[in-house]
mmCIF file with all atom_site columns, all heavy atoms in Angstrom:
data_model
loop_
_atom_site.group_PDB
_atom_site.id
_atom_site.type_symbol
_atom_site.label_atom_id
_atom_site.label_alt_id
_atom_site.label_comp_id
_atom_site.label_asym_id
_atom_site.label_entity_id
_atom_site.label_seq_id
_atom_site.pdbx_PDB_ins_code
_atom_site.Cartn_x
_atom_site.Cartn_y
_atom_site.Cartn_z
_atom_site.occupancy
_atom_site.B_iso_or_equiv
_atom_site.pdbx_formal_charge
_atom_site.auth_seq_id
_atom_site.auth_comp_id
_atom_site.auth_asym_id
_atom_site.auth_atom_id
_atom_site.pdbx_PDB_model_num
ATOM 1  N N   . THR A 1 5  ? 112.812 64.803 90.966 1.00 56.00 ? 5  THR A N   1
ATOM 2  C CA  . THR A 1 5  ? 112.675 63.521 91.638 1.00 56.00 ? 5  THR A CA  1
ATOM 3  C C   . THR A 1 5  ? 113.418 62.468 90.827 1.00 56.00 ? 5  THR A C   1
ATOM 4  O O   . THR A 1 5  ? 113.209 62.361 89.630 1.00 56.00 ? 5  THR A O   1
ATOM 5  C CB  . THR A 1 5  ? 111.201 63.110 91.775 1.00 56.00 ? 5  THR A CB  1
ATOM 6  O OG1 . THR A 1 5  ? 110.510 64.139 92.476 1.00 56.00 ? 5  THR A OG1 1
ATOM 7  C CG2 . THR A 1 5  ? 111.055 61.806 92.536 1.00 56.00 ? 5  THR A CG2 1
ATOM 8  N N   . THR A 1 6  ? 114.277 61.733 91.498 1.00 52.00 ? 6  THR A N   1
ATOM 9  C CA  . THR A 1 6  ? 114.984 60.634 90.841 1.00 52.00 ? 6  THR A CA  1
ATOM 10 C C   . THR A 1 6  ? 114.768 59.377 91.654 1.00 52.00 ? 6  THR A C   1
ATOM 11 O O   . THR A 1 6  ? 114.609 59.427 92.862 1.00 52.00 ? 6  THR A O   1
ATOM 12 C CB  . THR A 1 6  ? 116.497 60.907 90.735 1.00 52.00 ? 6  THR A CB  1
ATOM 13 O OG1 . THR A 1 6  ? 117.009 61.135 92.045 1.00 52.00 ? 6  THR A OG1 1
ATOM 14 C CG2 . THR A 1 6  ? 116.791 62.106 89.874 1.00 52.00 ? 6  THR A CG2 1
ATOM 15 N N   . THR A 1 7  ? 114.752 58.262 90.978 1.00 48.00 ? 7  THR A N   1
ATOM 16 C CA  . THR A 1 7  ? 114.581 56.987 91.647 1.00 48.00 ? 7  THR A CA  1
ATOM 17 C C   . THR A 1 7  ? 115.761 56.098 91.316 1.00 48.00 ? 7  THR A C   1
ATOM 18 O O   . THR A 1 7  ? 116.132 55.966 90.164 1.00 48.00 ? 7  THR A O   1
ATOM 19 C CB  . THR A 1 7  ? 113.276 56.303 91.191 1.00 48.00 ? 7  THR A CB  1
ATOM 20 O OG1 . THR A 1 7  ? 112.195 57.180 91.492 1.00 48.00 ? 7  THR A OG1 1
ATOM 21 C CG2 . THR A 1 7  ? 113.072 54.981 91.912 1.00 48.00 ? 7  THR A CG2 1
ATOM 22 N N   . THR A 1 8  ? 116.342 55.522 92.357 1.00 47.00 ? 8  THR A N   1
ATOM 23 C CA  . THR A 1 8  ? 117.449 54.599 92.172 1.00 47.00 ? 8  THR A CA  1
ATOM 24 C C   . THR A 1 8  ? 116.891 53.192 92.306 1.00 47.00 ? 8  THR A C   1
ATOM 25 O O   . THR A 1 8  ? 116.329 52.849 93.339 1.00 47.00 ? 8  THR A O   1
ATOM 26 C CB  . THR A 1 8  ? 118.531 54.825 93.245 1.00 47.00 ? 8  THR A CB  1
ATOM 27 O OG1 . THR A 1 8  ? 118.915 56.192 93.179 1.00 47.00 ? 8  THR A OG1 1
ATOM 28 C CG2 . THR A 1 8  ? 119.727 53.941 93.015 1.00 47.00 ? 8  THR A CG2 1
ATOM 29 N N   . SER A 1 9  ? 117.022 52.401 91.268 1.00 42.00 ? 9  SER A N   1
ATOM 30 C CA  . SER A 1 9  ? 116.531 51.026 91.288 1.00 42.00 ? 9  SER A CA  1
ATOM 31 C C   . SER A 1 9  ? 117.595 50.109 91.863 1.00 42.00 ? 9  SER A C   1
ATOM 32 O O   . SER A 1 9  ? 118.783 50.393 91.789 1.00 42.00 ? 9  SER A O   1
ATOM 33 C CB  . SER A 1 9  ? 116.180 50.563 89.878 1.00 42.00 ? 9  SER A CB  1
ATOM 34 O OG  . SER A 1 9  ? 115.156 51.358 89.367 1.00 42.00 ? 9  SER A OG  1
ATOM 35 N N   . PRO A 1 10 ? 117.170 48.993 92.426 1.00 44.00 ? 10 PRO A N   1
ATOM 36 C CA  . PRO A 1 10 ? 118.148 48.046 92.948 1.00 44.00 ? 10 PRO A CA  1
ATOM 37 C C   . PRO A 1 10 ? 119.011 47.492 91.819 1.00 44.00 ? 10 PRO A C   1
ATOM 38 O O   . PRO A 1 10 ? 118.555 47.363 90.688 1.00 44.00 ? 10 PRO A O   1
ATOM 39 C CB  . PRO A 1 10 ? 117.311 46.941 93.576 1.00 44.00 ? 10 PRO A CB  1
ATOM 40 C CG  . PRO A 1 10 ? 115.903 47.229 93.250 1.00 44.00 ? 10 PRO A CG  1
ATOM 41 C CD  . PRO A 1 10 ? 115.809 48.566 92.576 1.00 44.00 ? 10 PRO A CD  1
ATOM 42 N N   . VAL A 1 11 ? 120.244 47.209 92.140 1.00 43.00 ? 11 VAL A N   1
ATOM 43 C CA  . VAL A 1 11 ? 121.172 46.618 91.181 1.00 43.00 ? 11 VAL A CA  1
ATOM 44 C C   . VAL A 1 11 ? 121.203 45.117 91.436 1.00 43.00 ? 11 VAL A C   1
ATOM 45 O O   . VAL A 1 11 ? 121.559 44.682 92.531 1.00 43.00 ? 11 VAL A O   1
ATOM 46 C CB  . VAL A 1 11 ? 122.587 47.203 91.362 1.00 43.00 ? 11 VAL A CB  1
ATOM 47 C CG1 . VAL A 1 11 ? 123.569 46.557 90.411 1.00 43.00 ? 11 VAL A CG1 1
ATOM 48 C CG2 . VAL A 1 11 ? 122.562 48.711 91.184 1.00 43.00 ? 11 VAL A CG2 1
ATOM 49 N N   . PRO A 1 12 ? 120.822 44.293 90.446 1.00 45.00 ? 12 PRO A N   1
ATOM 50 C CA  . PRO A 1 12 ? 120.863 42.855 90.659 1.00 45.00 ? 12 PRO A CA  1
ATOM 51 C C   . PRO A 1 12 ? 122.305 42.376 90.828 1.00 45.00 ? 12 PRO A C   1
ATOM 52 O O   . PRO A 1 12 ? 123.185 42.784 90.083 1.00 45.00 ? 12 PRO A O   1
ATOM 53 C CB  . PRO A 1 12 ? 120.246 42.261 89.393 1.00 45.00 ? 12 PRO A CB  1
ATOM 54 C CG  . PRO A 1 12 ? 119.578 43.400 88.713 1.00 45.00 ? 12 PRO A CG  1
ATOM 55 C CD  . PRO A 1 12 ? 120.288 44.643 89.154 1.00 45.00 ? 12 PRO A CD  1
ATOM 56 N N   . VAL A 1 13 ? 122.515 41.538 91.824 1.00 43.00 ? 13 VAL A N   1
ATOM 57 C CA  . VAL A 1 13 ? 123.844 40.989 92.083 1.00 43.00 ? 13 VAL A CA  1
ATOM 58 C C   . VAL A 1 13 ? 123.724 39.477 92.106 1.00 43.00 ? 13 VAL A C   1
ATOM 59 O O   . VAL A 1 13 ? 122.908 38.925 92.843 1.00 43.00 ? 13 VAL A O   1
ATOM 60 C CB  . VAL A 1 13 ? 124.389 41.491 93.440 1.00 43.00 ? 13 VAL A CB  1
ATOM 61 C CG1 . VAL A 1 13 ? 125.729 40.856 93.741 1.00 43.00 ? 13 VAL A CG1 1
ATOM 62 C CG2 . VAL A 1 13 ? 124.493 43.007 93.440 1.00 43.00 ? 13 VAL A CG2 1
ATOM 63 N N   . ALA A 1 14 ? 124.518 38.802 91.298 1.00 44.00 ? 14 ALA A N   1
ATOM 64 C CA  . ALA A 1 14 ? 124.496 37.331 91.273 1.00 44.00 ? 14 ALA A CA  1
ATOM 65 C C   . ALA A 1 14 ? 125.482 36.823 92.314 1.00 44.00 ? 14 ALA A C   1
ATOM 66 O O   . ALA A 1 14 ? 126.652 37.172 92.305 1.00 44.00 ? 14 ALA A O   1
ATOM 67 C CB  . ALA A 1 14 ? 124.872 36.822 89.892 1.00 44.00 ? 14 ALA A CB  1
ATOM 68 N N   . THR A 1 15 ? 124.976 36.013 93.232 1.00 43.00 ? 15 THR A N   1
ATOM 69 C CA  . THR A 1 15 ? 125.828 35.442 94.266 1.00 43.00 ? 15 THR A CA  1
ATOM 70 C C   . THR A 1 15 ? 125.752 33.932 94.178 1.00 43.00 ? 15 THR A C   1
ATOM 71 O O   . THR A 1 15 ? 124.679 33.368 93.968 1.00 43.00 ? 15 THR A O   1
ATOM 72 C CB  . THR A 1 15 ? 125.382 35.902 95.671 1.00 43.00 ? 15 THR A CB  1
ATOM 73 O OG1 . THR A 1 15 ? 124.012 35.595 95.840 1.00 43.00 ? 15 THR A OG1 1
ATOM 74 C CG2 . THR A 1 15 ? 125.592 37.395 95.856 1.00 43.00 ? 15 THR A CG2 1
#
Side-chain angles (χ1 to χ4, degrees):
T5 303
T6 57
T7 301
T8 304
S9 298
V11 178
V13 177
T15 54

